[in-house]
Amino acid sequence: MLNKINFITAGESHGKGLLGIIEGIPSGLNIQKDFIDFHLSRRQKGFGRGGRMKIEKDVVDIYSGIRLGCTLGSPIGLMIKNLDWDNWKEEMSVTENPNIKKITLPRPGHADLAGVMKHGFDDIRNVIERSSARETTMRVALGSICRKLLENLNIHVASYVTQIHTVCDNIIDYNINVNEVNNIADKSPVRVLNNKIEKKIIETIKNAQANGDTVGGQFKILISGCPYGLGDYSAWNKKLNAKLSEAICSINAIKGVSFGNTFSSNAFGSELHDEIEYKDNQFTRTNNNAGGIEGGMSNSQTIKINAMMKPLSTLTTPLKSVDIKTKESKLAHKERTDSCAVPAAAIVAESMTCIVIADTILDKFGGDSFKELLHHFQSAKF
Ligand code: EPS
């Protein structure tokens, strides 16, 4: 639940494009279109993407809220075109079109069956179009504005892939500055830091593709530079771990989020908790097993989030299903699809994280202009 920022997205996967509005961003934040486009291009990459990413070249059109390179403090409106729209004008016509063939075979694991039952639709296309992960494009664009706000406060958000299917990165911690992590991960086609597992991951994805199958995986998100006290120990809807979990779990196919070291449930308390020391006029910790969050608040250590993505549910070798019109048993509908989207999901999760952290920063420090926010932030004593 966001407290200071509001955002909304609209748009169908094969419609004209995506719309997004974000409000609550202070005035005077410098932001360039290129910065947003750069993060949009990061989301489009990753080995295992399907044919769609060869069609799209996501670039933002800024409609409102930014003037002369700076935010105005008013709602920021963005638009991103779907280049594939040209191939879908008939199918996605806004006016009635009796020639359209309805889709009636729900894909197990997708929103299809629950979606048509919820709305009483007789065409699964009505569900597919909005439940598609195409929507996450706009979240990255809006999240980039929050990322810019954070970077100006020296807060950095990065991610890397730690597992695809059964191929795992066994290195638990890398001694790399968070603001360097994306430079390294973005050079890998599957966004891993450990290049020893890269080849095996690519082979795994290729095998899945050859079998008409899909694979999921896991990734980590790191946040550096958070001061003490983002979030709250008192109000359930302001706890930082809860806000981050909600935001990341709202991303298509994300099924689990955890914080800090993943062995935590097997450990004794004495092994897990990070002892406190006082050196050079500040509190320090011997470890960061907690992953930077204690009692629902940031504790000034690097925040470490683990997220799990299920294998995508559109299979080109489909599973059994039932026709929603005839009730006959048949194989599920086939759509063009990605075989692995874990690297892209990590970029979306970075973006959702940026929105949540910016929200907690504005909640704690406040300010109508970025200058005012910066002043509050810099004069806070920790
Ligand atoms: C998606 C199916 C594929 C993906 C799409 C998400 O699209 P299409 O059906 O057009 O081939 O490529 O992802 C995107 C378009 C994107 O921008 O990430 C799905 O069913 O969720």
Side-chain angles (χ1 to χ4, degrees), residues 185-243:
D186 286 352
K187 289 194 178 87
S188 158
V190 285
R191 301 202 73 254
V192 288
L193 293 183
N194 183 349
N195 55 19
K196 290 202 180 91
I197 60 169
E198 189 176 281
K199 219 170 131 203
K200 217 165 162 204
I201 287 181
I202 291 175
E203 270 166 34
T204 303
I205 299 171
K206 278 187 181 162
N207 277 340
Q209 265 167 350
N211 296 329
D213 219 327
T214 58
V215 283
Q218 301 197 25
F219 56 86
K220 255 190 215 308
I221 299 165
L222 305 172
I223 315 161
S224 67
C226 289
Y228 280 102
L230 299 184
D232 196 17
Y233 63 90
S234 165
W236 71 269
N237 59 345
K238 288 190 170 188
K239 288 188 188 245
L240 185 57
N241 46 326
K243 288 177 66 145

Side-chain angles (χ1 to χ4, degrees), residues 14 43 49 52-53 110 132-134 137 335-336 338:
H14 304 99
R43 194 202 68 94
R49 299 287 260 151
R52 179 74 184 272
M53 286 306 105
H110 227 296
S132 162
R134 178 75 189 144
T137 314
E335 285 257 317
R336 176 184 58 189
D338 306 322

Side-chain angles (χ1 to χ4, degrees), residues 367-379:
D368 291 310
S369 64
F370 181 74
K371 203 171 154 195
E372 200 177 2
L373 171 68
L374 184 64
H375 176 70
H376 295 164
F377 185 79
Q378 286 175 337
S379 48

